[in-house]
Amino acid sequence: MENQDKPAYPTIHQNSDGTLDYSLNQGLTKREYFAGLAMQGLLMEPNQGDISTKHVLKIIGISEDTEYDYLIHYPKYLAKLSIIYADELLNQLNQNK
C-alpha cells in the first residue's frame, strides 16, 4: 500500500502472531487529509494575489477560451491546487525517509 493511501489516523491492532494490522476502512487517507488541510489554508486567503482566469482554467484542464464562471471554475481550481500541494508534500515525505 502506497503511503498516500494509508489512513491518516489508522486503528492498529496486534494479531495473534504478533504482527500489526492497520484498519484500512476507517477515515481519510493521508492524501485526502493533507488536501483538506491545504484547501483550508487556501480558503483563508481566497484571492491568492492576482491569479488570471486563464491560469485557473489551465490548472483545472479547461480551454482558456471557455467563458470563466467564478462560482464554477474557482472552487475546482482550489480543489485541484489542494491536491497538487498534498501530492507534493507526500512526494517530499517519501523522498526524505
Side-chain angles (χ1 to χ4, degrees):
M1 172 180 291
E2 295 286 327
N3 185 34
Q4 72 180 24
D5 299 322
K6 290 182 181 176
Y9 296 103
T11 303
I12 302 173
H13 67 275
Q14 189 169 6
N15 296 321
S16 59
D17 64 0
T19 60
L20 298 177
D21 267 341
Y22 291 98
S23 177
L24 301 177
N25 58 355
Q26 295 182 3
L28 298 172
T29 65
K30 289 180 181 180
R31 184 178 193 227
E32 292 166 337
Y33 180 68
F34 292 156
L37 291 174
M39 182 174 276
Q40 183 178 13
L42 290 168
L43 289 171
M44 292 301 296
E45 182 56 48
N47 295 329
Q48 300 285 311
D50 292 327
I51 300 173
S52 72
T53 57
K54 286 185 177 186
H55 176 73
V56 170
L57 294 172
K58 180 180 178 183
I59 291 293
I60 62 175
I62 296 176
S63 168
E64 293 177 359
D65 297 328
T66 303
E67 185 177 341
Y68 182 74
D69 184 330
Y70 178 84
L71 294 176
I72 293 173
H73 297 116
Y74 196 72
K76 290 180 182 183
Y77 168 75
L78 289 178
K80 180 69 173 178
L81 201 56
S82 298
I83 293 167
I84 290 169
Y85 288 149
D87 287 345
E88 184 56 29
L89 175 56
L90 287 161
N91 181 43
Q92 292 297 318
L93 291 171
N94 286 333
Q95 288 181 12
N96 293 320
K97 285 187 176 183

